[in-house]
Each structure stands twice: as structure tokens, then as C-alpha cells.
Amino acid sequence: MARNGQNAWMGLGLEMWTLGMESASVIGLRTMKLAQGGPAAGREAELMVSEKIATAFDVQMKLMTGGFGFIPAVAASKAVGEYATKVRANRKRLSR
């Protein structure tokens, strides 16, 4: 959640910590999927790489063009939020 004010950087730290924990669960779920092998593992590997490239490109463009605003802590929080959205969607998909 983007914030202005004195605690913006502290809030960003919490958002990043949460993203790290959620990412760890996705890594575990993906590892199990890849370890099973077969066509599904190949599709997952392709999806993983293409998603990372697309998201990194989108976030970089928004940061460079002011799409996240011009207040550093707010822009950083919105960038972390973009990644968090993708991670949560992957966790949901891989948990089925």
C-alpha cells in the first residue's frame, strides 16, 4: 500500500518482507511442479521466465515514466505491489 509521510519507508520495508515470504512459498510450489517433470514442468518453466521478463519491463517503464508517481517511497511501494500481485496469483494457481 502506497503511503506518504514519516513511516513510508518503514511500511515499504514491511511490504518487501511480506513479498519475500510469499515469494518463498511460490518458489517451493514451483520447485515441486518442476521436479515432477513432463510437459507441465516445461510449461511452468516457460511461464516463469516470460512472466519475470514482462513484469520487470512493465515495472521499469512505469518507474521511468512516472507511472507510479514521483515520490520515491510511494513509487517504490507501487512497484513492490506490482510484484506482489503476480506472486499472489502464482501462489493461488500453483496451490490448486
Side-chain angles (χ1 to χ4, degrees), residues 11-75:
L12 177 61
L14 179 60
E15 291 168 24
M16 293 175 69
W17 179 83
T18 302
L19 176 58
M21 296 301 290
E22 291 174 334
S23 296
S25 73
V26 170
I27 290 168
L29 291 166
R30 271 201 167 128
T31 300
M32 289 189 293
K33 180 107 174 176
L34 295 172
Q36 291 173 355
R43 285 190 301 274
E44 186 62 33
E46 288 176 19
L47 178 62
M48 176 178 66
V49 172
S50 64
E51 243 181 20
K52 288 181 188 315
I53 292 169
T55 303
F57 180 78
D58 289 344
V59 168
Q60 285 178 337
M61 288 303 293
K62 287 177 183 175
L63 285 168
M64 291 189 310
T65 61
F68 290 143
F70 297 100
I71 300 169
V74 173

Side-chain angles (χ1 to χ4, degrees), residues 73-96:
V74 173
S77 180
K78 288 181 179 182
V80 170
E82 291 271 326
Y83 285 102
T85 299
K86 301 290 186 181
V87 168
R88 286 184 195 115
N90 281 322
R91 188 179 63 201
K92 183 178 179 180
R93 179 180 55 79
L94 290 164
S95 294
R96 286 187 242 143

